[in-house]
Amino acid sequence: MEITEHIEALDREGRLLVAAAESAGTGARVPTCPDWRVRDLLRHTGMVHRWAGAFVADGHTSYHPDKGEPDLDGGDLLAWFREGHRWLVDTLTTAPPDVACWSFLPAPSPLAFWARRQAHETTVHRLDAESARDGTADAVGASAPDFAITPEFAVDGIDELLLAFHAREKSRVRTDRPRVLRVRATDTGTTWTVRLSSGPPVSERGETAEADCEVAGPAARLYLSLWNRLPMPGVSGDESVATLWRENSAVTWR
């Protein structure tokens, strides 16, 4: 996907997120993140937007910590979120293509990295906000069978998660007995092979090894399942491999 497409997705998803949050109310429980209320979701995502945008806007070439979450709630929190989201979209839109700044996953450029990362960050949290509005994780995206996520965008997000996030030493998806997980998007025909071992997962596109377990379904459903927002669809083979992913794959802020 192009940088402009990721920025367009970020713009759309942020607006959908805050609209769902406003409808739910900032005190509503977030079923897809049981420890959170909507206020926690807005504070976290708004903080990440400002943190990410600062690397591009200020040209930080090394890691800089975030500035923390605000002690805001209600209408003030919603306004704060909207302001930060708009600033991030505008920052990415007007940044020079060759902007030099820190990033933490492989990408064609820092700008490409931040546009992609924030598009997917915001999309996943948009679904969290919708789960709060609808009152149950099972109702996520109930208004649209594809969760308003295109197959192309979902495949891009699965690529980022499997080929980049979980290739890092920080990944906790590990097992003493080597196993292979296949991920199959039934609507696009895209497959991934994920080799699990005592080290970080090694993933690649295609069916490059015999799988112990396969998870298959539409790309958007897989995307949300691999981010632990929905149950795994179409599990076949050794289900303990899918359970291993489910129990250990959470990507945390700290």
Side-chain angles (χ1 to χ4, degrees):
M1 293 181 64
E2 299 295 327
I3 291 173
T4 54
E5 294 174 295
H6 283 129
I7 296 174
E8 288 169 1
L10 166 63
D11 187 10
R12 178 182 64 252
E13 295 294 328
R15 287 184 282 106
L16 290 172
L17 188 163
V18 74
E22 186 169 29
S23 178
T26 58
R29 187 175 65 90
V30 181
T32 49
C33 297
D35 293 336
W36 275 3
R37 300 284 175 169
V38 168
R39 66 176 63 90
D40 302 306
L41 173 63
L42 289 172
R43 289 168 181 172
H44 168 76
T45 311
M47 174 273 292
V48 171
H49 284 168
R50 286 166 167 78
W51 173 77
F55 285 102
V56 177
D58 300 335
H60 295 307
T61 55
S62 61
Y63 175 80
H64 273 236
D66 63 85
K67 295 183 178 180
E69 298 178 4
D71 185 20
L72 296 174
D73 205 347
D76 290 342
L77 178 58
L78 291 163
W80 175 85
F81 179 91
R82 287 187 170 102
E83 179 184 37
H85 170 249
R86 184 74 259 153
W87 176 73
L88 174 61
V89 170
D90 291 345
T91 295
L92 294 173
T93 300
T94 59
D98 61 350
V99 62
C101 64
W102 180 83
S103 58
F104 62 89
L105 296 177
S109 69
L111 183 60
F113 164 78
W114 284 113
R116 182 195 206 192
R117 176 80 290 280
Q118 291 310 299
H120 290 295
E121 173 89 9
T122 307
T123 298
V124 171
H125 287 317
R126 183 263 292 179
L127 271 293
D128 292 333
E130 290 183 351
S131 81
R133 180 197 63 200
D134 299 336
T136 170
D138 294 336
V140 167
S143 60
D146 61 358
F147 312 105
I149 298 171
T150 67
E152 179 188 21
F153 185 80
V155 166
D156 181 71
I158 296 170
D159 270 342
E160 185 197 44
L161 184 64
L162 297 182
L163 306 183
F165 259 110
H166 282 286
R168 301 183 298 166
E169 283 293 331
K170 293 176 67 173
S171 177
R172 296 181 295 107
V173 185
R174 300 177 185 236
T175 174
D176 292 334
R177 179 187 176 196
R179 312 293 280 159
V180 176
L181 172 66
R182 174 98 67 244
V183 177
R184 183 183 304 277
T186 54
D187 50 349
T188 66
T190 315
T191 58
W192 294 263
T193 298
V194 185
R195 291 177 172 85
L196 305 175
S197 69
S198 59
V202 177
S203 304
E204 55 192 332
R205 283 279 196 104
E207 299 181 34
T208 58
E210 185 175 350
D212 297 294
C213 174
E214 178 170 298
V215 177
R221 178 69 185 239
L222 286 174
Y223 172 70
L224 295 174
S225 298
L226 291 167
W227 274 107
N228 292 323
R229 263 51 184 193
L230 293 174
M232 292 285 191
V235 178
S236 59
D238 185 350
E239 293 187 8
S240 69
V241 180
T243 300
L244 175 71
W245 179 276
R246 186 78 177 177
E247 293 179 348
N248 296 280
S249 63
V251 175
T252 59
W253 177 246
R254 300 299 181 193

